Amino acid sequence: MNFKKFTAILFSLLAVCLSAYSQNDTVSIKTIVTKTVKYNNEYPLEKVYLHFDKPYYAVGDTIWFKAYLTTDVTINDDMTKNKHLPSTLSKVVYVDILSSKDSVVQRLKLPVIDGMAYGDIKLLKENYREGNYHVQAYTNWMRNFDPAYFFFKTIPVGTIVDKNVFNTISLSGQLKNNTAKVDAIIHYYTTDGRDYAGRKVSWRAQNSDDETLGKGKGITDSRGNINISFTTSKISTLSSALLVAGIDINNNTITNSYSLKNIVAPLDVQFFPEGGELINGIKTKVAFKAVKPDGLGAEVKGTVTDNSGAVVATIATEHLGMGVFELTPATGKTYKAAIVFADGAQTTYDLPAVKDDGMTLSVNNTDPEKIAITFSASDAFLAINKNKPIAIIGQSGQVVCYAGQTALTTKSYSATIPKSKFPSGIVKFTIFSSTGDALAERIVFVRRNDQLKIGLNTPKTTYGVRDQVNFNVTAKTADNQPALASLSVTVLDDTKVPFNENSEITILTSLLLTSELKGYIEKPNYYFNSVNDKTAADLDLLMLTQGYRRVIYKDILANKQPVIKFEPEDGIQVSGSLRTASGMPVPNGVVNFYIKNMRVSSTVNTNKEGEFKIPKLFFPDSVKAVVNARGNYNGNNLMIMVNNVSPQLPVPNINAPDEVANIDTALNPYLQNDKKVSLNSHVIKEVVITQTRGPKKASHQDFPFLVGLGGIPDHVVDGNRLTGCPSVYDCIKYILPGVTYNDNKLYITRDYNTGKKVEMAIYYDGSVVDFDRMASVDPSTIDQIEVYNNDGLSGLNKMDNTNGVLVISSKKVEKKPLNKELLNELLTPQYSAVNFTPKGYNMARAFYSPKYDATKTGVLGGDFRTTIYWNPKVMTDKNGTASFDFFNADGTGTYRAIIEGIDAYGNIGRTVYRYTVK
């Protein structure tokens, strides 16, 4: 965008706005607006949204998703119509899958084309087990800013395949006299719901320092329950503590671990005066939010009293722990809130301190056409600032949509602003003093009829199992013009995949709401699912209580620039430096990049510091690449150093409150269906039996001093099971049978659970190494991993005071016949070329949808699909139409089709359509 043209048009709008206040313009407001516009143009903010095929999964499933990458820009330089246009800034998006312990399980790198990317994640049982995983998605450019604005989603993953013992846990805790008391009830039951009564259970609570906080033994009662209780004074360590319980089933101990995080965290209540401050003598709305230890809203009631004991307000929550009351602070008064929680507990909280001078900002957002704003000054503030200009700015996303000012002549001033000046989404209003200081802020949600209208229909509303279903799609703009839209659609069997629609994360909740706010938003789709006066009022409560710090004017006016460490990526880039054998840089040197057996190559020249960048590369992941210095004088005696790409560090899960505590129970319909799928696939596997003998695996027997471990390991993991992992370090933390990972060390599980915390010895290709060493090992090079619960006759554990041995063996290098090419490779010094495996793109696979003939046959066994259809590439034509078709599965009941997406002008939309299958 042309910055000068943008600024000129903005001040044309500004002049109109000013007429509502005063005909006198000032330098101050021009400075604020100009610097804000300049900052936003130089540092555009990208947003990522991922549309998943369903909300939860089972081990062995494939997660299908589409990524939408947008930036906030204006349409035809009209500030009132800024949209979420598909981003042209970044051509690469990253999707990380992390465990509940915030460790990376898998990292995907996807190519972005026209602001869209497509991907899938296979939940291999070697890499995934039952638990809550969270996804974080971002671009390299987004890493320069607060990671709290990445895309986040919690995904529960369960399994009941080959599982005979199920359990649910109920946890509670309380604090008293600097001592924490933790109570738990674990219920054990069989796959068909029968209770495991009269079974021995041993348990132990331990913190991250392996200190025992409590332990005991017991017998399950007639209902399969075991009651556990312990007290501890080490309260601060409970946030990282685990409760480990093992039940004896036919002399086999089944062990489960449960997090004690937040178990005794106090209920929290915070108070938020509208505009930011309580000012003496000015009536102010005060919002509050009560939160339980698990991060969800808590129902409370209570009273607010002043320091004389007089009751000045009665309060009660209205929605998800949020509420609001009015208060007129008086000089010399302080205020407290006496809160009563649902369980009868009572606590007193101090309200924010009252200021003698300042301004407040009040907003009434109930009118569908306009926003009423009122700003009020205290007597002290008016006395000092009378007749000085006061400015107000309204910013939506990164675009200043409204600006105006007036001279401060009275204590209170009111105005109305048409909502037509803003697009749908969050608008931040800020009042500025004549010196540019932000005096008060308020965010509001503007709801306009400006969304993409997506129509979805079928010829009929009732079908049979395995019937073909044809869908017609229409996409129109708000003024009913055909739209060229990129859409993604998923069709689910609602009976097998039930879900609370208010809790869904959609393209609307993400791009319009959660991507602009900081922190956890409970049930975000509640505010979009059914729009009425109640949901609108509750959404305004959210605006009053939720953190918003996308834009900090103080930094902008002080010309404080963000530190830019990560550039936007226009493809895969390989960088490094070229030096002589003595370490001197080689300016204008030739550097060649190529991938063997692929038509991927590039040649670049170094700069004067000997540095090179090879941009805009495109290749899949796990390929072998070569960078060499051929073409240079004395090229065989040069050194090439390839830069390592530092990955994004895991970000704590903002949506941790969405984690499911008892997955077996919560996902039961889905997991029962998954078990049918597994049984069906087992039948298929038994149809053909083959027996082949592969090449001999690399093992401990290849190293003489490891032979004493014995011939048969306790567990063996094939190297192929590491496929898709970012590194061996990330892979083997949780997939090794009989091995427990904690605090960057590996332990034999059976010993660890009994309190013996002695780490394992790790041998990589015959050399003893620390576990950190595995972070630099490519998983594709590993042949197999052997686990030994003891060191046999080798004496290794006694030698280095360890317990158990882990042997990691690389694949044997294939012997090549000596030919001209190999001879040339052997004669070329290693420092003239670098062979490496760069992180390439994870290429998306195609979703398989079966086709049935007229007799509706074609699948061995039943068709138990839960995702009936997934298509991330539904594109409407110039008439705004598209179509797709598929065949139903064997499930009956309601099928739900969800389609959402974006058009070329940044209009976003979503539609849900249901039909019946009998």
Side-chain angles (χ1 to χ4, degrees), residues 239-285:
S239 61
S240 60
L242 294 174
L243 174 63
V244 181
I247 184 171
D248 188 301
I249 305 295
N250 301 325
N251 296 321
N252 184 28
T253 301
I254 307 299
T255 303
N256 296 96
S257 298
Y258 312 92
S259 173
L260 298 179
K261 182 180 180 181
N262 297 328
I263 191 62
V264 293
L267 290 155
D268 182 43
V269 182
Q270 296 184 45
F271 297 87
F272 306 89
E274 185 178 23
E277 303 284 355
L278 286 174
I279 308 295
N280 272 331
I282 301 177
K283 180 184 285 188
T284 304
K285 285 186 287 189

Side-chain angles (χ1 to χ4, degrees), residues 455-733:
L456 199 59
N457 63 78
T458 57
K460 53 185 182 179
T461 58
T462 302
Y463 291 86
V465 298
R466 303 197 183 188
D467 274 354
Q468 185 174 11
V469 182
N470 296 285
F471 267 92
N472 294 312
V473 182
T474 59
K476 296 181 179 180
T477 60
D479 54 0
N480 292 316
Q481 296 301 307
L484 289 168
S486 176
L487 310 170
S488 47
V489 61
T490 182
V491 181
L492 303 175
D493 183 339
D494 257 355
T495 304
K496 296 184 176 71
V497 196
F499 194 68
N500 184 345
E501 290 188 56
N502 287 338
S503 299
E504 288 182 316
I505 297 176
T506 73
I507 195 170
L508 300 177
T509 68
S510 181
L511 295 184
L512 298 182
L513 184 66
T514 58
S515 63
E516 292 289 340
L517 298 175
K518 205 167 185 178
Y520 172 67
I521 309 296
E522 185 175 354
K523 296 182 178 179
N525 202 36
Y526 164 80
Y527 307 105
F528 297 83
N529 199 25
S530 179
V531 179
N532 52 47
D533 290 344
K534 168 62 175 169
T535 56
D538 292 339
L539 180 54
D540 200 51
L541 274 177
L542 182 69
M543 297 297 100
L544 285 165
T545 58
Q546 201 69 29
Y548 179 97
R549 283 296 177 270
R550 272 286 202 179
V551 179
I552 302 178
Y553 287 109
K554 182 179 179 181
D555 291 345
I556 293 174
L557 296 178
N559 296 317
K560 184 178 179 181
Q561 308 297 321
V563 178
I564 301 300
K565 296 181 180 179
F566 308 100
E567 295 297 327
E569 295 175 303
D570 58 0
I572 301 173
Q573 177 174 280
V574 174
S575 63
S577 60
L578 180 65
R579 297 180 179 274
T580 65
S582 61
M584 298 298 294
V586 179
N588 201 35
V590 177
V591 176
N592 309 287
F593 171 90
Y594 69 93
I595 296 176
K596 296 180 179 179
N597 303 319
M598 293 183 67
R599 293 183 177 179
V600 177
S601 62
S602 182
T603 299
V604 297
N605 292 99
T606 60
N607 61 18
K608 61 182 180 180
E609 285 81 26
E611 300 168 337
F612 66 87
K613 292 181 180 179
I614 308 172
K616 299 183 180 181
L617 297 169
F618 193 104
F619 52 83
D621 198 25
S622 302
V623 298
K624 303 295 184 182
V626 178
V627 175
N628 65 39
R630 292 175 183 171
N632 294 284
Y633 173 74
N634 200 25
N636 287 342
N637 291 306
L638 299 178
M639 295 189 297
I640 297 177
M641 286 163 284
V642 177
N643 295 332
N644 291 322
V645 179
S646 62
Q648 170 64 37
L649 296 176
V651 179
N653 187 11
I654 289 175
N655 292 330
D658 287 336
E659 292 184 352
V660 177
N662 296 305
I663 292 178
D664 290 349
T665 303
L667 276 58
N668 186 61
Y670 186 85
L671 297 179
Q672 290 293 344
N673 182 77
D674 180 63
K675 189 170 185 178
K676 293 179 182 179
V677 174
S678 178
L679 291 174
N680 188 49
S681 65
H682 286 173
V683 173
I684 297 173
K685 290 177 181 177
E686 292 172 0
V687 172
V688 179
I689 300 176
T690 61
Q691 182 175 359
T692 61
R693 173 176 291 183
K696 180 184 176 183
K697 290 281 188 180
S699 72
H700 70 287
Q701 294 182 348
D702 297 325
F703 308 98
F705 60 93
L706 296 179
V707 172
L709 290 172
I712 303 176
D714 292 285
H715 305 283
V716 177
V717 175
D718 192 279
N720 293 328
R721 294 172 62 181
L722 309 182
T723 302
C725 293
S727 72
V728 174
Y729 176 88
D730 293 307
C731 260
I732 67 176
K733 285 181 181 179

Side-chain angles (χ1 to χ4, degrees), residues 332-348:
K333 296 289 186 180
T334 58
Y335 300 90
K336 293 180 180 291
I339 301 296
V340 180
F341 297 95
D343 61 358
Q346 300 183 30
T347 309
T348 301

Side-chain angles (χ1 to χ4, degrees), residues 203-354:
W203 60 270
R204 182 171 181 261
Q206 59 193 44
N207 59 25
S208 60
D209 294 326
D210 299 328
E211 293 178 294
T212 298
L213 306 179
K215 64 179 180 179
K217 297 179 180 180
I219 304 292
T220 57
D221 61 22
S222 60
R223 293 174 296 177
N225 293 333
I226 182 76
N227 292 285
I228 295 172
S229 181
F230 68 92
T231 60
T232 179
S233 60
K234 298 177 180 179
I235 301 170
S236 61
T237 67
L238 280 172
S239 61
S240 60
L242 294 174
L243 174 63
V244 181
I247 184 171
D248 188 301
I249 305 295
N250 301 325
N251 296 321
N252 184 28
T253 301
I254 307 299
T255 303
N256 296 96
S257 298
Y258 312 92
S259 173
L260 298 179
K261 182 180 180 181
N262 297 328
I263 191 62
V264 293
L267 290 155
D268 182 43
V269 182
Q270 296 184 45
F271 297 87
F272 306 89
E274 185 178 23
E277 303 284 355
L278 286 174
I279 308 295
N280 272 331
I282 301 177
K283 180 184 285 188
T284 304
K285 285 186 287 189
V286 181
F288 64 92
K289 187 170 188 177
V291 180
K292 295 182 290 187
D294 60 6
L296 301 177
E299 298 301 309
V300 302
K301 59 183 179 180
T303 58
V304 177
T305 59
D306 62 19
N307 51 349
S308 69
V311 175
V312 295
T314 301
I315 63 178
T317 49
E318 300 174 28
H319 174 66
L320 299 178
M322 297 178 290
V324 66
F325 60 93
E326 288 188 334
L327 176 66
T328 304
T331 302
K333 296 289 186 180
T334 58
Y335 300 90
K336 293 180 180 291
I339 301 296
V340 180
F341 297 95
D343 61 358
Q346 300 183 30
T347 309
T348 301
Y349 298 88
D350 291 329
L351 265 63
V354 179

